[in-house]
Amino acid sequence: MSIRLASAVAAVAMSTSAALAASDDRLTTNAGEVAIHAIHHAALTLTFNGTTILVDPAPLGQNVDTAEFTALPAPALILITHEHGDHFNVPILQAVSGNATIVAPQSAFDKMPDDLKAKTKVMKNGDKLEVAGVPIEAVPAYNNSTDKQQYHPKGRDNGYVLTFGDKHVYIAGDTEDTPEMRALTGIDVAFLPMNLPYTMSVDQAADAVAAFKPKVVYPYHSRGTDVAAFKTKVGGAADVRILDWYPS
């Protein structure tokens, strides 16, 4: 690579990082800031003291674009909540995993080729693990309505609670407002899905917030949902922050 081309590539990378940093939301902890970056749908990054965690890297729609993920900071940890195509994608994982540790439920692990399996730690509901200095707890994510259990059966998929200093971040994955969600305590930030028929309605999500009382809530996985109505229903029970999960 020529010096001129190398400089151009570096400049593009720096401008991309600057754009991401400018758009990031922030969580202050007693051990540093967590930068929260929405990619799309259910994909996001959390960056803490230089360590980037990538969550559910998958395409938005049918076209797989690895470039939108390789342009992000290289992750040290990748979390997969379940094996559905809007959360789990083998070509994207192969493009971005590098030296990262992947954490996934057994069902997603079973769909990986050997190169990804070698990088993956399997967690089931209730398991605890620390990766890249970040404590992780896998929590249940499932449909509990009798007419929806075929989408996300109990025991298969994970949500995750991550600990950053004195703060706890809950990434719900695809789930309804289960008893386990309602029983959570000490959650500072929650990412909650709300799209029917697969996850929660606005009313279910707002009721869940009233039950487990996260301080900040980000509605995500919400295509076609009136997230402004969710914010209204939550009222003063939590700080609801609406990010651009569906860029045009």
Side-chain angles (χ1 to χ4, degrees):
M1 183 182 291
S2 69
I3 293 175
R4 179 176 297 177
L5 179 55
S7 297
V9 170
V12 169
M14 288 178 65
S15 64
T16 300
S17 296
L20 293 178
S23 64
D24 286 345
D25 212 346
R26 305 281 169 170
L27 169 67
T28 300
T29 83
N30 66 354
E33 278 193 334
V34 180
I36 298 167
H37 179 72
I39 303 171
H40 56 235
H41 191 54
L44 65 136
T45 61
L46 303 169
T47 301
F48 179 62
N49 292 337
T51 297
T52 293
I53 300 163
L54 176 61
V55 180
D56 281 350
L60 183 62
Q62 299 301 312
N63 296 322
V64 176
D65 180 7
T66 60
E68 66 179 334
F69 290 97
T70 56
L72 298 166
L77 168 62
I78 300 173
L79 297 175
I80 306 298
T81 59
H82 64 293
E83 78 274 21
H84 287 170
D86 56 337
H87 296 257
F88 169 77
N89 181 272
V90 167
I92 291 174
L93 283 173
Q94 289 176 321
V96 303
S97 56
N99 296 320
T101 297
I102 302 170
V103 168
Q106 184 69 48
S107 57
F109 179 86
D110 290 342
K111 294 179 181 297
M112 292 179 183
D114 288 344
D115 61 324
L116 292 179
K117 285 181 176 179
K119 302 177 181 182
T120 300
K121 295 182 181 295
V122 172
M123 294 187 75
K124 64 182 184 297
N125 295 172
D127 284 352
K128 296 181 179 180
L129 188 65
E130 184 170 316
V131 178
V134 178
I136 308 164
E137 181 178 1
V139 296
Y142 63 97
N143 289 104
N144 54 344
S145 295
T146 55
D147 60 339
K148 298 180 186 177
Q149 293 177 22
Q150 70 272 24
Y151 299 125
H152 306 97
K154 187 174 184 180
R156 186 191 68 183
D157 304 339
N158 289 334
Y160 297 101
V161 176
L162 310 179
T163 299
F164 302 99
D166 61 341
K167 298 296 193 295
H168 304 289
V169 175
Y170 170 47
I171 300 166
D174 279 11
T175 185
E176 287 186 79
D177 56 331
T178 64
E180 294 90 344
M181 177 190 289
R182 289 174 170 269
L184 290 170
T185 59
I187 300 299
D188 297 283
V189 171
F191 292 86
L192 296 184
M194 51 196 77
N195 68 323
L196 295 176
Y198 307 105
T199 63
M200 292 186 282
S201 68
V202 164
D203 287 340
Q204 283 178 302
D207 286 348
V209 168
F212 77 95
K213 299 178 174 59
K215 294 181 176 66
V216 177
V217 179
Y218 294 93
Y220 82 146
H221 200 287
S222 58
R223 186 192 289 276
T225 301
D226 188 349
V227 291
F230 167 73
K231 183 172 184 174
T232 298
K233 287 180 179 292
V234 169
D239 176 6
V240 176
R241 301 183 186 178
I242 298 174
L243 303 181
D244 184 11
W245 296 96
Y246 299 96
S248 55

